[in-house]
Amino acid sequence: MAADRPGKPDPGTSKTTTTDEPERIQKLLARAGVGSRREVESWIEAGRLQINGRPAMPGQKATVSDRIELDGKRLDIKAGAEVLRRVLIYNKPEGEVTTRRDPEGRPTVFDRLPRLPDHRWIAIGRLDINTTGLVLFTTDGELANRLMHPSRQIDREYAVRVFGEVDEAMIRRLSEGVLLDDGTARFTDISEAGGKGINQWFHVTLMEGRNREVRRLWESQGVRVSRLKRVRYGPVFLPSRLSMGKWEELDQKAVDSLSRMVELPPVDIPAKTPSEKKIDDRKQRKHGGPARRKPGTPRWQVSGGQNMDDDRAVKRGRNKKHRG
């Protein structure tokens, strides 16, 4: 329990963990929400990043008190002084892009999230514009990096509807491995989830998050993906109560579970102020209210704003796994 953790702050003090030890610049900037580790590495390679007036070197360490500049402009890295670990789950609708700013002006997954005064939300993995479902966000760059890193072998589960004939030989090939443009890929698990004729639902699981990997795997077999929804990331499921366009924050127990899974020490989630609660509640109502039911439509067909067939397939897949 939280009360048993060593170093727990006294009541009334900040519940975040502070650090002033020098650390790798990639890790420091990622925690501050400035950019991902990969982005920071590209800035270093291009000579765009400076530390105290000198070009940053690969593997160089720094602290929040150092002057760090990108393209001559000083970066605000105050958030890197503390480890704030909050996690949101978000039910992404179709049509949103998983990027902070889109040059084409399309809506992004960040548009609906609650604003933070001194930190930024970091997306844990991406979904393409036509894919719906679960996206995790965190304020902790280190947690995000570990949850996404291929070495952690964290599985992602999708409900997918395919258009075309699917036979046992195809399922076997997709399970054993298919050569794609960027290497061999495979589903670690495939299970039927209903459907009729050439429109069938499946639940599939991957151990990595390559670009459009689920769609490309099915397309390699001559069938087309007509619907795709992520329903699980590691131990976190998309709850059926969460309608499209809505988010909710994970509690302390769930965040601690994610932290232990990637070998990070627990960090207490700070309590929200009354004003933060009011703002969050207002935004939730504004951006993601429950789907409206047309006259004559049975209530069971309105499932949090989701497509009815999507919902049935997700439930069938979950029930099948529970029975197994």
Side-chain angles (χ1 to χ4, degrees):
M1 296 178 62
D4 298 325
R5 292 184 196 136
K8 181 178 173 63
D10 294 330
T13 63
S14 170
K15 291 186 178 183
T16 55
T17 300
T18 59
T19 176
D20 55 3
E21 293 294 322
E23 56 188 337
R24 290 170 63 92
I25 187 65
Q26 296 97 318
K27 183 177 180 180
L28 176 63
L29 296 187
R31 187 172 66 248
V34 172
S36 69
R37 291 190 180 193
R38 188 172 298 176
E39 287 175 319
V40 176
E41 288 170 359
S42 69
W43 297 341
I44 294 173
E45 291 174 2
R48 300 173 57 195
L49 200 67
Q50 290 190 322
I51 302 177
N52 298 326
R54 296 183 178 182
M57 305 298 291
Q60 185 172 352
K61 294 185 177 182
T63 70
V64 292
S65 60
D66 288 315
R67 183 182 182 89
I68 302 176
E69 298 173 314
L70 177 64
D71 297 331
K73 183 179 179 180
R74 186 166 187 173
L75 298 174
D76 182 4
I77 59 169
K78 294 191 297 293
E82 60 181 12
V83 180
L84 177 67
R85 188 173 301 152
R86 294 173 61 179
V87 180
L88 296 182
I89 54 177
Y90 177 63
N91 190 354
K92 175 191 173 299
E94 193 170 336
E96 290 183 354
V97 292
T98 315
T99 184
R100 203 170 296 277
R101 296 180 185 85
D102 182 60
E104 299 179 31
R106 295 170 295 184
T108 82
V109 293
F110 292 92
D111 294 341
R112 302 178 189 256
L113 303 186
R115 298 293 179 91
L116 299 173
D118 298 314
H119 291 80
R120 297 204 302 175
W121 294 112
I122 303 165
I124 300 174
R126 295 190 174 198
L127 293 179
D128 66 50
I129 191 169
N130 295 319
T131 302
T132 65
L134 177 65
V135 183
L136 292 176
F137 294 89
T138 182
T139 52
D140 185 358
E142 181 64 19
L143 177 65
N145 180 70
R146 295 194 184 195
L147 286 172
M148 290 186 287
H149 202 280
S151 65
R152 296 288 171 175
Q153 291 287 286
I154 296 175
D155 55 347
R156 292 91 155 156
E157 184 179 346
Y158 297 80
V160 53
R161 188 177 73 182
V162 299
F163 182 78
E165 296 290 343
V166 179
D167 55 25
E168 289 299 321
M170 184 187 298
I171 297 295
R172 185 170 59 253
R173 289 193 295 272
L174 290 170
S175 299
E176 293 175 350
V178 175
L179 182 61
L180 303 178
D181 293 340
D182 53 355
T184 302
R186 71 183 186 94
F187 295 129
T188 56
D189 184 67
I190 307 177
S191 59
E192 295 181 5
K196 296 180 180 180
I198 57 175
N199 274 303
Q200 299 181 61
W201 280 96
F202 294 88
H203 269 236
V204 298
T205 305
L206 290 168
M207 286 293 186
E208 54 189 353
R210 282 190 258 172
N211 184 41
R212 300 183 72 254
E213 189 171 1
V214 175
R215 295 181 187 274
R216 290 189 295 139
L217 274 166
W218 284 107
E219 289 167 0
S220 73
Q221 303 303 302
V223 296
R224 180 171 59 87
V225 172
S226 55
R227 286 193 182 276
L228 182 60
K229 177 182 185 133
R230 185 156 67 194
V231 296
R232 181 172 62 85
Y233 195 109
V236 181
F237 282 87
L238 180 67
S240 58
R241 65 180 175 275
L242 194 65
S243 60
M244 284 193 181
K246 292 191 73 174
W247 55 266
E248 67 180 38
E249 186 163 0
L250 294 186
D251 60 19
Q252 186 73 61
K253 182 178 180 180
V255 174
D256 287 351
S257 177
L258 279 176
S259 301
R260 286 192 297 270
M261 187 175 67
V262 293
E263 301 174 302
L264 283 175
V267 175
D268 285 342
I269 300 173
K272 292 182 182 179
T273 64
S275 60
E276 285 178 324
K277 290 180 180 178
K278 287 182 180 179
I279 292 172
D280 290 352
D281 290 344
R282 187 166 62 247
K283 287 199 172 186
Q284 283 281 60
R285 291 194 298 270
K286 176 181 177 182
H287 289 302
R292 297 195 175 190
R293 182 169 58 95
K294 294 181 180 180
T297 303
R299 290 185 182 276
W300 59 268
Q301 288 191 17
V302 181
S303 179
Q306 302 178 87
N307 180 278
M308 180 179 63
D309 291 336
D310 291 12
D311 231 20
R312 285 177 171 175
V314 171
K315 289 176 181 176
R316 274 194 296 266
R318 282 184 181 169
N319 291 340
K320 190 170 183 179
K321 285 181 178 294
H322 289 324
R323 288 196 301 270

